[in-house]
Amino acid sequence: QVQVVESGGGLVQAGGSLRLSCTASGLRFDDSAMGWFRQAPGKEREGVSCISRSADTTLYIDSVKGRFTVSRDNTQNTVYLQMNSLKPEDTAMYYCAATTRTYCSASWRNVWYYRDWGQGTQVTVSS
């Protein structure tokens, strides 16, 4: 049984930092590209970042480039999202997802690209 569990969310002031973690089990983690998504109230879930199985490819949406960094530790079955210079508009529930693909294709921002999802961790940025 696949389990994906996020942690590290919280309340932070604008300009602050948080590091999200996501641990996956029950799958071949080192064969899986991983994605981070977020969903604010009343909005659609949007892809934030994707990292390939070997971390040789990392992709971001424009609004987080230069502020967020995705990384992974395949020995720990864990992927991270370091979020710096946080803004109120980053406030959302953040989700981690695993795909059966090893790479981040041009479709990485689509929900259907991923098979397994975590329950999410809330990030709230106050102004």
Side-chain angles (χ1 to χ4, degrees):
Q1 182 180 357
V2 177
Q3 283 192 317
V4 179
V5 180
E6 306 94 337
S7 63
L11 173 64
V12 64
Q13 288 188 331
S17 298
L18 283 174
R19 188 176 82 154
L20 305 184
S21 299
C22 167
T23 300
S25 59
L27 52 76
R28 295 187 63 172
F29 184 82
D30 54 1
D31 275 346
S32 300
M34 300 293 292
W36 284 100
F37 282 71
R38 65 187 180 186
Q39 188 168 19
K43 294 189 176 182
E44 292 188 354
R45 192 170 297 192
E46 67 170 351
V48 173
S49 182
C50 182
I51 184 168
S52 62
R53 68 169 178 174
S54 58
D56 56 350
T57 299
T58 56
L59 301 174
Y60 304 91
I61 54 171
D62 286 346
S63 60
V64 307
K65 285 180 180 177
R67 300 189 298 123
F68 290 11
T69 303
V70 63
S71 61
R72 65 190 295 161
D73 182 348
N74 287 349
T75 67
Q76 299 294 322
N77 281 22
T78 300
V79 61
Y80 304 97
L81 187 67
Q82 178 67 43
M83 306 186 296
N84 299 329
S85 302
L86 281 161
K87 303 175 181 180
E89 51 263 45
D90 295 317
T91 294
M93 184 72 78
Y94 282 71
Y95 298 90
C96 178
T99 175
T100 56
R101 301 165 181 83
T102 61
Y103 54 92
C104 303
S105 80
S107 299
W108 72 270
R109 294 183 61 183
N110 292 284
V111 170
W112 58 257
Y113 193 74
Y114 303 86
R115 185 187 69 182
D116 303 297
W117 292 81
Q119 294 300 307
T121 186
Q122 178 67 39
V123 171
T124 303
V125 184
S126 63
S127 58

